[in-house]
């Protein structure tokens, strides 16, 4: 039933195949064009039984079943349509892909999206998919932000659009069985209800009092902070006039009602409404100066877009402004909501999602919007998830969904309470792990993220491509430790940015015992004349040696120290022993087990440079050294 307020009207899709309509389909087409999909399905199926079906009939049936949330039937019919037509439109592949995604047929979904991208390479939905065809794995691996509970006030009929205000819960429902049934799905027309908060549970829902509910559809609402004005969605019906456009379609409008004697009355049409298109899903900015809404008016980017209009101090309205291509897509954007922190929430099937409509958020920043982020599981699902409202002060919200526990279960809109359990704002941090020497990607590398208190926040592993996508709280600082078998571990500190971050981590392969021994034998440090102190540059070399020894615990070494050829043999022997001792002391003081170390002073008996005929200062320095040997 929420489809009425999603504005996913298929008039244009039906008209694209007029060449396939004929006298046989006239009755079914009439139902379809009036959005009486239940009757349309029955009429088209009769044509199949009579052997009068063609590609057009299968397509119409696929769409009608999609509109009534019978996605298994829709998938089957789209397959049959695509097999029976020579040149399907790009949107046919997109709609088919959506049924596959909802039915969790992920491999076929990817194939259908590739067909869609091939047909419509400039479509932003196609571009986004091609940039990350495995995006579903990323969304499914996100840290859950919310914990969901189905509200006890849910009925057997469609219930959606929960909006908490002044301690009460307003919502839209088809539960009034006295209303005339609507041909879209044979449910009663929608009314606005309100429930009381009794002991923390919303109970005793009744229809809102006043002049708002009628025999036609009413939809989602917004109320000004001073309680004086209520904005709501309704069919184009005012003062007993039910209006249709030139094609016989009754569109949606946003009306406002004033609080008079405790009831909302004095219903007024808004000046930016029109008989030829729909406006729906009103939402107020925190200060009440702007009204957000969805519309399928001309000039938008897709089936329905999000707009904002200024509410002037004198009660007049500005001109509606499209929120632009960062938010809006070629698909459906609807059900906006703006919280006290100027965070815009909305539902879309144009941005990459888990199936059907997903809830996204975007920060409002000086009139611009950041790229929308998917709120992930479990707030979103493979079904339609929409009409999300949120109160950050208490970290509680409400979302509507037609999710089911099994594929074949009947899909009905229900309202779920959503409790925040992890930070709302999260950023995708893509970590790419490679071999520092060969640049080859490393699979199954372990990533551990630590917060500023050094508590573990999360961990993951790289996939076959050496990548791991992680969702971390925006603006927070983390330490990342990367471990992989056969490689030295590496740590990196970083702050999570507003937009996606890509980190490349190059791991150095661990040394073999042979490589370690070679490096040890090649190592040496030098001393000042007549000194045994460890110079700063010598300390750096010894630090490298310490790391090698720590990583190779079975290697023992002997420190062998030398002097230059100046001075007596006895003096130089003592000086070389002092140099050996200071070298060993540095190693032990920095964590090397003394049992693994031995030392020997050689005095001036083994010079590198023979200085019998004289040496330069540099040549004398080369003789003043400590070297290392491998010992058992």
């Amino acid at each position: 039933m929420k489809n009425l307020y999603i504005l996913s009207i298929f008039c244009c899709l039906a008209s694209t195949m007029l060449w396939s309509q004929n006298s046989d389909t006239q009755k079914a087409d009439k139902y379809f064009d009036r959005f009486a999909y239940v009757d349309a399905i029955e009429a088209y199926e009769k044509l199949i039984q009579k052997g009068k079906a063609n590609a057009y009939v299968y397509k119409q049936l696929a769409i009608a079943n999609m509109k009534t949330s019978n996605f298994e039937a829709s998938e089957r019919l789209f397959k049959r349509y695509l097999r029976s037509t020579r040149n399907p439109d790009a949107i046919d592949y997109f709609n088919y892909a959506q049924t596959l995604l909802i039915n969790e047929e992920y491999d076929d979904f990817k194939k259908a999206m590739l067909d869609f991208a091939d047909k419509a390479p400039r479509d932003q939905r196609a571009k986004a998919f091609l940039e990350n065809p495995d995006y579903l794995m990323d969304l499914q691996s996100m840290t859950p932000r919310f914990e969901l509970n189905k509200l006890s006030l849910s009925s057997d009929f469609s219930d959606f659009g929960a909006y908490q205000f002044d301690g009460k819960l307003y919502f839209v429902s088809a539960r009034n069985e006295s209303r005339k049934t609507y041909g879209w799905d044979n449910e009663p027309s929608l009314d606005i209800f309100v429930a009381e908060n009794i002991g923390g549970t919303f109970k005793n829902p009744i229809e809102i009092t006043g002049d708002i509910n009628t025999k036609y559809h009413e939809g989602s609402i917004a109320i000004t902070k001073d309680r004086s004005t209520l904005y709501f969605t309704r069919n184009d019906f005012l003062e007993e006039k039910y209006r249709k456009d030139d094609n016989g379609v009754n569109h949606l409008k946003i009306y406002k009602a004033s609080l008079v004697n405790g009831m909302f009355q004095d219903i007024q049409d808004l000046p930016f409404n029109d008989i030829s298109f729909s406006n729906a899903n009103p939402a107020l900015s925190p200060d009440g100066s702007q009204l957000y809404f969805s519309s399928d008016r001309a000039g938008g980017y897709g089936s329905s877009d999000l707009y904002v209009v200024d509410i002037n101090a004198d009660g007049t309205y500005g001109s509606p402004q499209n929120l632009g291509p960062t938010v809006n897509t070629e698909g459906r954007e609807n059900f906006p909501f703006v919280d006290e922190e100027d965070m815009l929430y909305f539902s879309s099937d144009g941005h990459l999602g888990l199936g059907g409509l997903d809830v996204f958020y975007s920060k409002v920043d000086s009139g611009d919007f950041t790229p929308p982020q998917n709120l992930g599981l479990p707030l979103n699902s493979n079904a339609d998830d929409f009409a999300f409202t949120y109160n950050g002060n208490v970290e509680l919200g409400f979302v509507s969904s037609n999710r089911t526990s099994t594929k074949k279960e009947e899909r009905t809109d229900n309202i779920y309470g959503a409790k925040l359990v992890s930070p709302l704002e999260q950023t995708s941090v893509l970590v790419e792990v490679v071999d520092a020497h060969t640049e080859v990607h490393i699979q199954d590398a372990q990533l551990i993220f630590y917060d500023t208190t050094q508590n573990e926040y999360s961990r993951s592993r790289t996939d076959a491509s050496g990548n791991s996508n992680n969702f971390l709280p925006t603006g927070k600082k983390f330490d990342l430790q990367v471990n992989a078998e056969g490689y030295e571990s590496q740590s990196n500190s970083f702050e999570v940015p507003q937009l996606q971050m890509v980190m490349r981590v190059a791991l150095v392969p661990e040394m073999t015992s042979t490589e370690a021994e070679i490096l040890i034998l090649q190592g040496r440090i030098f001393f000042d004349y007549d000194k045994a102190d460890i110079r700063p540059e010598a300390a750096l070399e010894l630090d490298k040696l310490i790391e090698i020894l720590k990583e190779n615990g079975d290697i023992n070494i002997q420190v062998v120290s030398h002097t230059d050829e100046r001075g007596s043999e006895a003096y130089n022997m003592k000086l070389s022993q002092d140099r050996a001792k200071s070298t060993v002391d540095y190693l032990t003081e920095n964590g090397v087990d003394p049992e693994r170390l031995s030392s020997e002073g050689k005095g001036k008996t083994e010079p590198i440079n023979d200085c019998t005929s004289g040496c330069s200062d540099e040549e004398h320095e080369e003789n003043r050294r400590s070297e290392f040997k491998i010992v058992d």
Side-chain angles (χ1 to χ4, degrees):
M1 182 63 76
K2 81 280 166 189
N3 287 293
L4 179 66
Y5 298 99
I6 290 169
L7 302 174
S8 55
I9 296 172
F10 275 82
C11 297
C12 58
L13 293 181
S15 65
T16 61
M17 297 190 67
L18 288 175
W19 57 268
S20 295
Q21 296 181 5
N22 52 50
S23 59
D24 292 327
T25 67
Q26 186 174 4
K27 181 179 179 181
D29 293 337
K30 187 174 182 181
Y31 287 132
F32 188 96
D33 293 341
R34 292 179 177 177
F35 316 124
Y37 295 117
V38 173
D39 292 333
I41 290 171
E42 182 180 354
Y44 286 127
E45 286 179 343
K46 286 182 179 179
L47 293 177
I48 295 177
Q49 293 168 7
K50 294 178 181 179
K52 296 182 178 181
N54 56 18
Y56 171 78
V57 170
Y58 292 125
K59 177 175 179 176
Q60 295 292 88
L61 260 176
I63 294 171
N65 277 280
M66 190 177 187
K67 302 303 287 179
T68 55
S69 300
N70 189 346
F71 296 109
E72 282 196 323
S74 182
E75 175 190 334
R76 184 175 65 254
L77 290 159
F78 268 122
K79 283 181 181 177
R80 195 160 186 178
Y81 160 69
L82 291 169
R83 286 197 301 264
S84 59
T85 188
R86 293 182 178 179
N87 190 29
D89 291 331
I91 193 64
D92 297 331
Y93 284 111
F94 181 81
N95 288 327
Y96 173 50
Q98 291 304 298
T99 66
L100 293 166
L101 183 55
I102 292 170
N103 291 334
E104 299 180 320
E105 304 289 347
Y106 296 131
D107 290 339
D108 288 340
F109 160 72
K110 290 176 68 173
K111 293 176 184 176
M113 283 299 292
L114 290 173
D115 288 332
F116 167 64
D118 184 60
K119 282 273 188 178
R122 296 183 179 180
D123 191 296
Q124 293 302 314
R125 295 169 293 183
K127 291 180 179 179
F129 175 79
L130 291 177
E131 286 176 4
N132 187 10
D134 296 316
Y135 78 90
L136 280 170
M137 295 176 61
D138 296 338
L139 292 183
Q140 291 166 348
S141 67
M142 289 173 61
T143 302
R145 292 173 169 93
F146 291 92
E147 180 181 274
L148 262 60
N149 292 288
K150 185 178 176 181
L151 296 193
S152 59
L153 57 71
S154 295
S155 69
D156 293 333
F157 298 93
S158 290
D159 303 299
F160 64 92
Y163 175 81
Q164 188 173 0
F165 183 84
D166 206 17
K168 298 180 180 180
L169 189 72
Y170 296 82
F171 65 98
V172 182
S173 179
R175 65 183 64 196
N176 185 349
E177 296 183 70
S178 67
R179 297 292 189 201
K180 180 180 178 181
T181 58
Y182 181 48
W184 188 301
D185 54 10
N186 275 353
E187 279 201 339
S189 295
L190 297 163
D191 287 322
I192 299 171
F193 286 74
V194 60
E196 301 176 85
N197 188 335
I198 300 177
T201 302
F202 290 105
K203 298 180 177 180
N204 307 327
I206 60 171
E207 290 197 36
I208 190 173
T209 57
D211 299 333
I212 292 178
N213 288 331
T214 65
K215 59 184 177 182
Y216 296 106
H217 288 301
E218 280 74 39
S220 54
I221 72 167
I223 303 175
T224 57
K225 285 186 175 180
D226 64 4
R227 304 176 180 83
S228 65
T229 304
L230 181 148
Y231 293 92
F232 67 100
T233 308
R234 182 199 280 172
N235 284 113
D236 189 342
F237 178 71
L238 187 62
E239 297 177 351
E240 299 302 317
K241 294 180 180 179
Y242 183 83
R243 301 197 308 165
K244 299 180 181 180
D245 65 13
D246 293 340
N247 297 317
V249 176
N250 174 272
H251 292 278
L252 304 176
K253 283 188 174 184
I254 298 174
Y255 296 93
K256 74 172 182 178
S258 299
L259 188 65
V260 180
N261 297 325
M263 295 188 297
F264 285 107
Q265 304 177 54
D266 187 23
I267 310 301
Q268 295 182 34
D269 198 351
L270 297 186
F272 51 86
N273 286 322
D274 194 278
I275 195 174
S276 63
F277 56 78
S278 288
N279 295 323
N281 316 137
L284 288 162
S285 62
D287 62 3
S289 67
Q290 293 181 308
L291 184 71
Y292 291 80
F293 62 97
S294 57
S295 178
D296 63 353
R297 62 182 59 212
Y301 293 90
S303 299
S304 60
D305 282 15
L306 299 186
Y307 291 80
V308 65
V309 63
D310 290 333
I311 304 174
N312 301 318
D314 61 359
T316 59
Y317 298 86
S319 299
Q321 302 297 315
N322 190 294
L323 296 194
T326 299
V327 170
N328 292 313
T329 69
E330 291 91 338
R332 302 174 294 172
E333 279 70 48
N334 44 63
F335 289 102
F337 179 79
V338 183
D339 69 11
E340 292 295 327
E341 301 299 322
D342 272 330
M343 187 80 80
L344 170 70
Y345 305 92
F346 64 96
S347 290
S348 171
D349 66 0
H351 297 284
L352 296 179
L354 291 162
L357 291 163
D358 276 22
V359 180
F360 296 80
Y361 74 89
S362 175
K363 294 203 73 170
V364 184
D365 184 14
S366 302
D368 295 325
F369 296 89
T370 59
Q373 303 294 314
N374 191 301
L375 281 172
L377 296 166
L379 190 81
N380 291 318
S381 68
N382 68 318
D384 284 324
D385 307 291
F386 59 101
F388 178 66
T389 58
Y390 181 69
N391 184 342
N393 293 326
V394 294
E395 298 184 339
L396 290 172
F398 300 93
V399 68
S400 305
S401 179
N402 66 348
R403 65 189 65 189
T404 63
S405 57
T406 64
K407 288 184 182 180
K408 294 184 179 180
E409 188 176 337
E410 184 177 349
R411 293 179 180 269
T412 301
D413 301 327
N414 286 295
I415 299 170
Y416 296 80
K419 178 182 179 182
L420 189 72
V421 293
S422 65
L424 180 64
E425 287 190 74
Q426 297 182 19
T427 298
S428 167
V429 178
L430 180 66
V431 182
E432 179 186 24
V433 183
V434 299
D435 185 298
H437 296 162
T438 65
E439 298 273 315
V440 172
H441 288 83
I442 302 174
Q443 181 179 0
D444 204 37
Q446 181 189 58
L447 280 61
I448 307 176
F449 294 90
Y450 296 94
D451 61 22
T452 53
T453 60
Q454 291 307 300
N455 289 319
E456 182 179 321
Y457 180 82
S458 66
R459 62 174 61 198
S460 63
R461 288 188 177 273
T462 56
D463 59 21
S465 300
N467 296 321
S468 175
N469 200 15
N470 305 268
F471 290 86
L472 301 173
T474 306
K476 300 296 183 181
K477 294 181 179 179
F478 286 91
D479 288 327
L480 168 62
Q481 180 179 319
V482 183
N483 308 312
E485 186 175 353
Y487 291 87
E488 297 179 11
S489 296
Q490 187 178 134
S491 295
N492 295 278
S493 298
F494 66 97
E495 182 174 327
V496 181
Q498 183 73 44
L499 302 179
Q500 184 187 49
M501 177 181 188
V502 178
M503 294 179 63
R504 184 178 175 88
V505 179
L507 295 184
V508 177
E510 290 180 345
M511 285 179 286
T512 64
S513 295
T514 301
E515 290 173 331
E517 291 177 1
I518 291 173
L519 286 176
I520 290 171
L521 293 173
Q522 291 176 340
R524 62 182 57 179
I525 62 172
F526 300 97
F527 295 86
D528 290 332
Y529 175 69
D530 203 26
K531 298 284 182 65
D533 300 331
I534 301 298
R535 304 193 314 198
E537 61 268 29
L540 291 175
E541 293 301 316
L542 289 178
D543 288 342
K544 297 176 184 177
L545 175 61
I546 290 167
E547 289 301 314
I548 295 173
L549 292 174
K550 286 182 177 179
E551 292 173 8
N552 296 271
D554 58 339
I555 296 179
N556 300 324
I557 67 169
Q558 182 184 49
V559 177
V560 182
S561 298
H562 306 266
T563 66
D564 61 29
E565 295 182 89
R566 292 172 291 186
S568 68
E569 291 185 3
Y571 180 82
N572 280 313
M573 182 60 70
K574 175 64 169 60
L575 180 59
S576 67
Q577 291 170 347
D578 289 344
R579 287 172 176 171
K581 182 178 184 302
S582 66
T583 304
V584 169
D585 288 346
Y586 186 92
L587 296 175
T588 57
E589 288 168 3
N590 287 278
V592 179
D593 185 351
E595 295 294 324
R596 299 173 60 192
L597 305 173
S598 59
S599 64
E600 182 181 6
K602 291 282 190 175
K604 60 180 182 178
T605 60
E606 295 181 1
I608 292 176
N609 300 308
D610 184 358
C611 296
T612 304
S613 302
C615 278
S616 66
D617 289 342
E618 290 77 11
E619 290 171 325
H620 280 304
E621 183 181 34
E622 287 181 342
N623 289 334
R624 301 191 301 265
R625 68 199 188 278
S626 282
E627 298 174 324
F628 311 100
K629 292 182 178 180
I630 308 298
V631 297
D632 293 333

